[in-house]
Amino acid sequence: MTQDLPITAVIGELIAALKRSKRAVLCAPPGAGKTTNVPLAILKHLDPRGKIIMLEPRRLAARAAAERMAETLGENLGATVGYRIRGDAKTSPSTKIEVVTEGILTRMTQNDPELPGIDTIIFDEFHERSLNADLGLALALEIADALRDDLRILVMSATLDADPIAALLGDAPIIVSQGRSFPVTPHWLPRPLDRSLSFEQAMTDLILSAMATESGGVLAFCPGEAEIKRIMARLATQVGPEVKIFPLYGAMDFALQCQAIQPMGSGRKVVLATSIAETSLTIQDISIVVDGGLARRAKFDSATGMSRLITEKVSRAEATQRMGRAGRVRAGHCFKLWSKAEEGTLPAFAPPEIDTSDLTGLALELAQWGSPPEAMAFLTQPNPALMAEAQQVLRMLGALSPKGQITKHGKELARAPVHP
């Protein structure tokens, strides 16, 4: 394990680990440059015969990462570096690094389990523990063990408990870098937030206070679209015409998402975002983060058979990720909507989706793959009772036979990019 070195200083050890054991875990803080530096280093030093596939949890981050790497090489997007996301792709026969969203890898493995033409799979921002990332890693490990002993697997994260994932990868080496992100000064409330204030009013006040005391653009984290729109309306009446306010959330048109992260020629930018902006994004104008301290998560309710959105406090890991957004391009500041004493009450990590989500889609993918969940290398095994419920739903839909085997109809459902 290497510690306290910038990302460029640990590249040599990372390459050696991948040559030696084909697997590794890389931990580096937000802004360390792992997303763009590591794939290019693998391309340069390992000279892979096939493609390097890098998984990103969100479409916007996937495209932005590909654009930054192509720019580093001085090439057009779609040449050496390309991307594939739902509904959009830019690749060519010469593409060697392909950045994809997590569901794309699942489809690739289901379509051809040997993954021909793929040399290395990188799981970026794995700490988010999405259901697709957990499934993708489990499938990749089974392929490597059974069909492709030459397949390289790298797991990267800024806030990951590395030991369990290294054990899952067969005691893979862990490389730790302190990175090169610029310092970020935290600012807490002097006392817990007055409960008589609405979230929107408190966030508006904190954003205006941050803008009055520090220079630079602002990235403010809100739990959802509704809060973003209400804060936008409040801010619009209290800032001058030189301040441009942009929303950024998952349900937006993708072109508008891209517009929110583009640098401005003049004026001052305020981006009001959900957790979509937590990882793998560099917004050039931003040096101030205002963190509302809330996240909205989908949680499956087995009593109703439906998922519902729950708003809850962020974890310390998520707060660290958010704060890191302020130090991507220069020294920054993070203003938190909670007191320093309250920080210790935050959970260490957000719960993995496999513990809280509807497992129907996962059950269908595993049925198509042909392995029961207990035979797969999941970092967190799915709850057996919830998996049984999911399988029962699939039987009712005609996707599984009474013995649990996938049907022709089930295979058709699995190809559709929607819930079964």
Side-chain angles (χ1 to χ4, degrees), residues 160-177:
L160 180 71
D161 184 4
D163 290 337
I165 188 68
L168 185 73
L169 269 61
D171 294 324
I174 301 171
I175 295 93
V176 180
S177 164

Side-chain angles (χ1 to χ4, degrees), residues 179-197:
R180 55 172 179 80
S181 58
F182 294 92
V184 178
T185 303
H187 304 268
W188 293 272
L189 297 180
R191 62 190 63 84
L193 187 65
D194 185 345
R195 293 188 179 183
S196 66
L197 279 179

Side-chain angles (χ1 to χ4, degrees), residues 40-240:
L40 292 174
I42 292 173
L43 180 64
K44 178 180 179 180
H45 297 291
L46 291 179
D47 191 23
R49 295 180 182 177
K51 285 184 179 180
I52 299 166
I53 301 292
M54 183 166 72
L55 278 75
E56 288 292 337
R58 297 180 178 88
R59 294 184 300 160
L60 189 61
R63 177 168 167 170
E67 287 175 341
R68 289 201 306 276
M69 283 189 280
E71 184 179 352
T72 299
L73 294 174
E75 297 180 354
N76 292 327
L77 191 59
T80 302
V81 183
Y83 69 88
R84 258 197 294 170
I85 60 178
R86 188 180 72 248
D88 189 20
K90 200 156 186 79
T91 63
S92 69
S94 62
T95 298
K96 297 290 288 183
I97 299 174
E98 196 169 311
V99 189
V100 304
T101 43
E102 294 162 341
I104 299 290
L105 178 65
T106 303
R107 293 274 60 80
M108 292 168 68
T109 55
Q110 295 283 23
N111 291 337
D112 193 335
E114 290 194 16
L115 295 178
I118 295 174
D119 178 275
T120 304
I121 303 177
I122 303 172
F123 293 83
D124 194 21
E125 307 296 359
F126 191 75
H127 66 274
E128 292 202 9
R129 295 297 309 281
S130 72
L131 203 53
N132 273 327
D134 275 13
L135 174 60
L137 181 58
L139 293 173
L141 288 171
E142 182 152 301
I143 289 169
D145 289 339
L147 301 172
R148 290 281 311 279
D149 60 3
D150 62 323
L151 184 66
R152 297 188 180 101
I153 299 173
L154 172 62
V155 177
M156 304 197 303
S157 176
T159 53
L160 180 71
D161 184 4
D163 290 337
I165 188 68
L168 185 73
L169 269 61
D171 294 324
I174 301 171
I175 295 93
V176 180
S177 164
Q178 291 305 309
R180 55 172 179 80
S181 58
F182 294 92
V184 178
T185 303
H187 304 268
W188 293 272
L189 297 180
R191 62 190 63 84
L193 187 65
D194 185 345
R195 293 188 179 183
S196 66
L197 279 179
S198 69
F199 174 81
E200 290 81 2
Q201 184 60 59
M203 278 293 284
T204 302
D205 292 345
L206 189 55
I207 291 168
L208 292 172
S209 175
M211 293 178 70
T213 56
E214 303 297 338
S215 62
V218 178
L219 173 62
F221 285 98
C222 308
E225 176 184 352
E227 291 85 355
I228 286 173
K229 289 182 175 178
R230 289 194 286 266
I231 294 170
M232 281 186 70
R234 288 174 182 266
L235 282 174
T237 64
Q238 300 185 61
V239 297

Side-chain angles (χ1 to χ4, degrees), residues 24-44:
V25 179
L26 173 63
C27 297
K34 57 187 178 298
T35 299
T36 50
N37 280 300
V38 170
L40 292 174
I42 292 173
L43 180 64
K44 178 180 179 180

Side-chain angles (χ1 to χ4, degrees), residues 151-369:
L151 184 66
R152 297 188 180 101
I153 299 173
L154 172 62
V155 177
M156 304 197 303
S157 176
T159 53
L160 180 71
D161 184 4
D163 290 337
I165 188 68
L168 185 73
L169 269 61
D171 294 324
I174 301 171
I175 295 93
V176 180
S177 164
Q178 291 305 309
R180 55 172 179 80
S181 58
F182 294 92
V184 178
T185 303
H187 304 268
W188 293 272
L189 297 180
R191 62 190 63 84
L193 187 65
D194 185 345
R195 293 188 179 183
S196 66
L197 279 179
S198 69
F199 174 81
E200 290 81 2
Q201 184 60 59
M203 278 293 284
T204 302
D205 292 345
L206 189 55
I207 291 168
L208 292 172
S209 175
M211 293 178 70
T213 56
E214 303 297 338
S215 62
V218 178
L219 173 62
F221 285 98
C222 308
E225 176 184 352
E227 291 85 355
I228 286 173
K229 289 182 175 178
R230 289 194 286 266
I231 294 170
M232 281 186 70
R234 288 174 182 266
L235 282 174
T237 64
Q238 300 185 61
V239 297
E242 77 283 358
V243 177
K244 304 297 182 185
I245 306 172
F246 297 87
L248 182 57
Y249 51 88
M252 284 174 60
D253 179 81
F254 188 63
L256 293 177
Q257 290 183 11
C258 295
Q259 182 180 330
I261 69 171
Q262 294 302 314
M264 285 175 51
S266 61
R268 196 171 187 184
K269 171 182 281 187
V270 176
V271 179
L272 303 175
T274 61
S275 57
I276 189 174
E278 257 177 35
T279 55
S280 296
L281 279 181
T282 297
I283 306 177
Q284 294 295 331
D285 312 275
I286 301 301
S287 60
I288 299 171
V289 162
V290 178
D291 188 355
L294 298 176
R296 189 157 290 146
R297 316 186 201 281
K299 290 199 173 182
F300 181 67
D301 186 345
S302 59
T304 63
M306 298 180 67
S307 293
R308 56 196 179 102
L309 292 174
I310 301 293
T311 302
E312 57 188 19
K313 291 182 178 180
V314 295
S315 66
R316 292 196 298 275
E318 289 169 306
T320 298
Q321 284 283 349
R322 293 178 175 190
M323 187 168 77
R325 300 301 100 189
R328 302 285 285 191
V329 295
R330 61 185 173 95
H333 295 264
C334 179
F335 294 80
K336 307 183 182 192
L337 197 63
W338 64 88
S339 67
K340 190 171 184 179
E342 291 176 291
E343 187 138 321
T345 68
L346 299 177
F349 298 96
E353 282 189 2
I354 203 166
D355 278 345
T356 61
S357 296
D358 178 3
L359 300 182
T360 309
L362 176 64
L364 183 61
E365 293 289 354
L366 292 177
Q368 184 179 13
W369 186 250

